[in-house]
Amino acid sequence: MFELCASGHEATTAKYLPRDIQAEFVSPVENGLQVRWADDGHESVYTWDWLERHGPKSNVSQETPLRRRFWGNEIKHSPPSVRYSDVMRDDEGVQEWTRKIVRCLLYLEDRINNWNKHEYGMCYVDDCPVYPKATQELLERIAQIRHTHYGIFPMLHVNPVRCLMQPGGFWDFTSDLASKDTAYTSLALSAHTDTTYFSDPAGLQLFHLLSHIEGSGGVSLLVDGFRAAMELKKRAPEAYHVLSRFQVPSHASGNDGLSIRPFAPFPVLNHDPVTGELVQVRWNNDDRDVLPHGDKYRDLEKWYDAAQQWVQLLRSEEAEFWDQLRPGRPLSESIGQ
């Protein structure tokens, strides 16, 4: 046993646990399993839920699988959405919103089995007030906003004269190259996941078009990366294997004094080490660094062949969902998960 355990007000670490530790008394109680330890007589209670999650399993494949809902361009007929007023009113509204954003949940209790009804990895929020403060408050209904390297931004309050400057976890921008990033241009962007240059990429992201007066273009592209991965695995299993094995370096640079890299390169397709389930897609050709050569990468051509097949699936007509964002209808999405 190498977890921290509590005994009164004193915490016992793994360093001081005797190797011959054993239970003196074990008895089921209403909410779990009660254990009295022989070495010092202290008692622990392990809830049934905890035991179910962490207890030994005879076969890993018997674990409850991750359940996902895949979609293609047919989602344009009825994309998932919630109302801003419902999200802001109570936690049930937040729950409905997060159900539609979150791509995967591990089901261990019958009472949450119905959550698989709404898992898209993206969701619109209808009738959101069209100003930054309301958008920030909407985001904070889920969690705190993660700050990044995108600098300082102005946050306007109800009184437009008062302006608060905050670090860049939430910002508004236009195609002015204020940051040396393709998002700050009018260039068309292919399907990608953001922040692949972070060791821990952003999990959720929200876009709110605040103004599009007499504008043209700017249509957004959404692709279900997990659906594309499953198609690749079915059609070209060797390509799927290559994209799951080859580690791809990524970086963010261009602005003076800025260079960001993850602590290690990651494959395009990342899997749970225990269950083998696909849990993350990391694909951004614009942020990809040069693939290194050498014995470790002697099959480099196989990666380029696999990447070509992957891109063909991402760009297929049945995979691409094109939509014009509009003020008052922000889009929230799960990034690569």
Side-chain angles (χ1 to χ4, degrees):
M1 180 177 181
F2 295 97
E3 300 292 332
L4 291 178
C5 62
S7 176
H9 297 289
E10 180 181 358
T12 303
T13 67
K15 177 181 178 181
Y16 302 106
L17 289 175
R19 295 295 299 272
D20 59 349
I21 188 171
Q22 57 182 313
E24 180 181 68
F25 173 79
V26 179
S27 175
V29 293
E30 181 179 357
N31 64 330
L33 199 65
Q34 182 177 2
V35 179
R36 183 167 65 241
W37 300 99
D39 59 323
D40 61 1
H42 84 274
E43 295 186 353
S44 304
V45 175
Y46 302 92
T47 67
W48 299 123
D49 288 346
W50 189 93
L51 290 170
E52 187 175 12
R53 288 196 303 271
H54 301 287
K57 297 177 176 61
S58 59
N59 190 334
V60 172
S61 63
Q62 293 178 1
E63 294 187 6
T64 306
L66 300 177
R67 303 178 184 180
R68 311 180 192 277
R69 178 192 293 268
F70 301 128
W71 51 266
N73 68 358
E74 77 284 348
I75 202 172
K76 63 186 178 184
H77 300 296
S78 182
S81 66
V82 294
R83 298 187 67 82
Y84 173 85
S85 58
D86 293 338
V87 173
M88 302 304 293
R89 184 178 59 246
D90 55 37
D91 288 345
E92 289 185 3
V94 177
Q95 184 184 61
E96 180 66 14
W97 185 24
T98 55
R99 280 178 181 175
K100 295 181 178 181
I101 302 172
V102 176
R103 286 309 309 262
C104 56
L105 293 167
L106 188 59
Y107 297 85
L108 293 169
E109 302 177 38
D110 290 339
R111 65 176 178 268
I112 62 172
N113 275 345
N114 62 341
W115 281 25
N116 66 336
K117 292 180 180 178
H118 306 293
E119 297 173 21
Y120 299 94
M122 49 84 74
C123 183
Y124 291 94
V125 180
D126 292 325
D127 302 322
C128 177
V130 187
Y131 55 91
K133 181 62 175 176
T135 310
Q136 179 186 10
E137 292 171 347
L138 173 66
L139 280 166
E140 290 173 342
R141 288 292 288 151
I142 294 181
Q144 70 276 10
I145 298 174
R146 176 176 173 177
H147 290 174
T148 67
H149 61 289
Y150 282 101
I152 302 296
F153 71 92
M155 175 57 66
L156 297 178
H157 290 257
V158 176
N159 180 358
V161 176
R162 182 184 175 198
C163 183
L164 176 67
M165 305 299 288
Q166 296 189 4
F170 173 91
W171 66 96
D172 53 5
F173 65 94
T174 187
S175 55
D176 57 3
L177 268 181
S179 180
K180 304 302 185 291
D181 190 289
T182 51
Y184 287 76
T185 72
S186 57
L187 297 174
L189 303 179
S190 58
H192 64 277
T193 59
D194 283 326
T195 61
T196 56
Y197 41 77
F198 287 162
S199 299
D200 179 23
L204 297 176
Q205 193 162 287
L206 183 141
F207 300 94
H208 191 183
L209 180 66
L210 299 178
S211 178
H212 200 238
I213 301 173
E214 297 182 357
S216 62
V219 178
S220 295
L221 169 64
L222 297 172
V223 176
D224 185 346
F226 280 81
R227 177 182 181 273
M230 293 303 99
E231 283 294 316
L232 182 68
K233 188 175 184 179
K234 181 170 61 176
R235 300 183 187 184
E238 177 59 26
Y240 184 94
H241 175 72
V242 169
L243 295 184
S244 302
R245 181 168 54 92
F246 272 73
Q247 297 175 332
V248 180
S250 301
H251 71 124
S253 58
N255 293 315
D256 293 339
L258 175 67
S259 180
I260 301 176
R261 300 174 185 271
F263 71 86
F266 289 86
V268 174
L269 306 176
N270 294 269
H271 299 77
D272 185 295
V274 176
T275 66
E277 292 276 353
L278 177 67
V279 294
Q280 185 185 63
V281 176
R282 301 173 70 120
W283 174 257
N284 193 325
N285 204 47
D286 291 332
D287 292 332
R288 178 172 62 84
D289 206 343
V290 177
L291 292 174
H293 298 276
D295 291 341
K296 184 178 179 181
Y297 290 87
R298 58 182 179 273
D299 295 331
L300 198 57
E301 290 185 2
K302 290 184 178 181
W303 186 89
Y304 283 105
D305 290 341
Q308 187 176 48
Q309 296 179 73
W310 168 248
V311 170
Q312 287 175 352
L313 287 171
L314 294 179
R315 294 184 176 179
S316 64
E317 182 178 354
E318 60 269 22
E320 294 185 330
F321 167 42
W322 293 90
D323 191 40
Q324 174 66 63
L325 297 184
R326 60 179 185 266
R329 197 178 191 231
L331 168 66
S332 52
E333 62 178 17
S334 172
I335 303 177
Q337 300 175 351

